[in-house]
Amino acid sequence: MPNGCRHLSRKIGPNHPLAGKTVYIPTMAEGSADAFAAVFRWLGVNATSTPPSNERTRELGAKYTNGDECYPAKVTVGDFIRVIEQPGFDAKRTMFFMPTAEGPCRFGQYAPFLAKTLRDNGYGDVQILSPTSKNSYTDLGEISTPFMRAGWRAVVAADLLRKALHRTRPYELVPGAADKAYQESVADLCNTIEKSCADNDCQLQALVASMARARERYRRVPALFDRTVPLIGVVGEIYCRMNTFSNDDLIRKLEGYGAEAWLSDIAEWIQYTNAEQLRKLKLRRRYWSLATVKAKLRWHIQNSDEHAIVKPFKEDFAGYEEPDIYEVFECAQPYLPVTGVLGEMVLSVGKAAYLASHGADGIIDISPFTCMNGIVSEAVYPKLSKDHGGIPIRNFYFDGTQSDLDRDLGIYMELARSYREKKPYTRKFPHYFPKPGESGVLEKTG
Ligand code: SF4
């Protein structure tokens, strides 16, 4: 606790619109949704993530949608209806969290679509919490500022824990040991957020300590690291690539074929929206305005928080550094320039080029069936592959009916292995990978 910290509280009062409600956070990414719910609880709002998706999710998703919606909408609606089916459900005390955004795709329609679906099916009393930058997050009232800052910290920390899992699991000697370290670290993170005080520095210090504990947990996982394991970059539509239910746990399957995955994180999207906000202010000739100063200041604070939270893992992630968002744009420039294209396709293509030039052995793009981001990216991947020594890039589309994923991954891994032998780029490894020529593989010591 920093000197002078008085363990301030920012809990909501009894008249706040969220008082007495339970907020359900859709589990786009396990760990991240839990950490986000912990931020609400830190502010005195009862919140939890939606229960893990299952076959019932798919059934209900199909029943309450008409087929025109994207797959993430189906899964999210299915999970929310499962909450409604729980015994003791009280519509008047329930809120479903459904963020929204402007942009070229259907995501902006999710919140109004969910509201209509609930209304049409007799659940109109359930409220939708849909904070947006357009209304300065006023839905949240006086907690909007602390919520946004702590929410960002939660996103960054949960991204880190997932990244550490993907770094460690392919090399674990005891099956399940890396998953256990991950689960314990997520629980530690959520507990830390929920119990942290309202002082910004104090909370940050608590989160950094939680990350240091997580790093130690991962370092204790018995593991044999091996430079010959192919590294596959995983990009694509944010929901489908993060949500293991929607993508049939593709990364775990990939690991089963002897690969390691580098998954694009959630923070990347938030960095993108920050950069887009500044670009649009400039286009509207408002670059020298209070709005720009505010946006830049917020971004600066986010970067400084991120830097502190990532620090405990710095050494472990040598060679796995995430690019600055402008570097992603630069990598995307020859294919999908950010000044002419909007949305996740820019990030998928830019990150794919970044990963290829940093020694990845293959790229997989995960997208929902009919998602235009995946379709546009797929159209430019052949050129990107040609420009990067022929790196294999494969799109996998999901709509809940994927049947040959195992077979396709097996074939894909053959391509990745053969590219690995001739790739023109060198990959940087952390110190715990044995040097080429060293016999066998070494145990990670930290
Ligand atoms: S990115 Fe694709 S799947 Fe996601 S909301 Fe937009 S159109 Fe739908």
Side-chain angles (χ1 to χ4, degrees), residues 70 72 105-107 110 237 344 368 371-373:
C70 4
C105 80
R106 289 172 277 182
F107 180 65
Y110 277 26
E237 192 270 344
E344 293 194 281
C371 169
M372 68 170 184
N373 282 292

Side-chain angles (χ1 to χ4, degrees), residues 70 98-114 130:
C70 4
M98 178 52 81
T100 188
E102 292 175 81
C105 80
R106 289 172 277 182
F107 180 65
Q109 299 302 313
Y110 277 26
F113 168 70
L114 177 64
S130 189

Side-chain angles (χ1 to χ4, degrees), residues 1-2 4-10 195-199 202-203 206:
M1 192 194 318
C5 170
R6 289 173 288 123
H7 267 285
L8 307 164
S9 169
R10 288 191 203 257
K195 303 252 167 73
S196 60
C197 78
D199 178 88
C202 181
Q203 185 189 59

Side-chain angles (χ1 to χ4, degrees), residues 262 321-323 327-328 331 349-359 388:
W262 180 338
E321 291 84 3
E322 296 296 336
E327 194 177 351
V328 176
C331 293
V349 166
K351 190 72 180 286
Y354 172 86
L355 291 167
S357 59
H358 284 73
H388 292 82

Side-chain angles (χ1 to χ4, degrees), residues 284-301:
R284 291 172 192 146
R285 298 178 189 278
R286 292 187 60 208
Y287 198 67
W288 304 106
S289 67
L290 187 60
T292 302
V293 173
K294 276 188 185 169
K296 282 192 163 183
L297 185 65
R298 191 186 63 233
W299 201 355
H300 172 75
I301 291 170

Side-chain angles (χ1 to χ4, degrees), residues 4-280:
C5 170
R6 289 173 288 123
H7 267 285
L8 307 164
S9 169
R10 288 191 203 257
K11 303 231 182 286
I12 56 165
N15 296 324
H16 192 281
L18 298 181
K21 305 269 186 192
T22 297
V23 178
Y24 287 87
I25 317 289
T27 306
M28 176 176 85
E30 192 207 327
S32 306
D34 298 323
F36 223 66
V39 172
F40 274 109
R41 295 197 297 274
W42 168 64
L43 293 164
V45 180
N46 191 27
T48 183
S49 50
T50 52
S53 308
N54 58 19
E55 275 316 308
R56 183 76 181 139
T57 303
R58 260 198 267 268
E59 263 174 54
L60 292 170
K63 181 173 168 193
Y64 288 93
T65 55
N66 64 25
D68 289 338
E69 306 80 358
C70 4
Y71 187 41
K74 235 181 200 176
V75 175
T76 311
V77 166
D79 280 337
F80 281 141
I81 303 285
R82 281 178 61 223
V83 170
I84 290 174
E85 285 187 335
Q86 285 175 349
F89 167 76
D90 182 349
K92 288 201 162 59
R93 296 169 74 91
T94 300
M95 265 195 172
F96 291 153
F97 183 76
M98 178 52 81
T100 188
E102 292 175 81
C105 80
R106 289 172 277 182
F107 180 65
Q109 299 302 313
Y110 277 26
F113 168 70
L114 177 64
K116 182 177 181 311
T117 306
L118 293 173
R119 239 183 3 254
D120 290 353
N121 290 283
Y123 308 119
D125 283 339
V126 179
Q127 282 178 273
I128 312 284
L129 179 61
S130 189
T132 155
S133 56
K134 226 173 159 187
N135 64 14
S136 303
Y137 306 100
T138 42
D139 278 14
L140 296 166
E142 75 266 15
I143 59 169
S144 62
T145 305
F147 175 81
M148 292 312 294
R149 185 156 187 192
W152 166 250
R153 290 171 169 182
V155 164
V156 170
D159 275 349
L160 265 186
L161 298 182
R162 192 177 309 105
K163 182 168 172 146
L165 172 67
H166 294 155
R167 289 294 76 81
T168 313
R169 195 168 58 191
Y171 306 99
E172 68 185 4
L173 290 172
V174 180
D179 280 318
K180 185 166 177 276
Y182 174 71
Q183 297 299 348
E184 288 175 4
S185 300
V186 168
D188 181 326
L189 169 65
C190 294
N191 194 36
T192 302
I193 293 172
E194 191 175 343
K195 303 252 167 73
S196 60
C197 78
D199 178 88
N200 278 322
D201 291 343
C202 181
Q203 185 189 59
L204 187 60
Q205 283 183 25
L207 283 172
V208 171
S210 172
M211 291 300 101
R213 289 192 294 275
R215 178 198 60 209
E216 293 314 311
R217 264 179 224 115
Y218 281 110
R219 285 182 176 182
R220 285 196 298 271
V221 171
L224 292 167
F225 289 85
D226 182 350
R227 282 173 187 247
T228 65
V229 169
L231 177 67
I232 308 298
V234 180
V235 299
E237 192 270 344
I238 191 164
Y239 189 97
C240 211
R241 75 167 191 264
M242 306 305 302
N243 186 261
T244 50
F245 175 77
S246 299
N247 63 40
D248 289 346
D249 220 349
L250 182 143
I251 288 185
R252 198 182 286 272
K253 290 195 166 111
L254 207 52
E255 290 169 1
Y257 280 99
E260 178 190 338
W262 180 338
L263 173 69
S264 289
D265 58 21
I266 299 177
E268 175 194 79
W269 173 254
I270 296 166
Q271 300 274 13
Y272 170 70
T273 58
N274 287 343
E276 270 299 285
Q277 189 185 8
L278 287 177
R279 192 177 71 84
K280 284 180 185 157

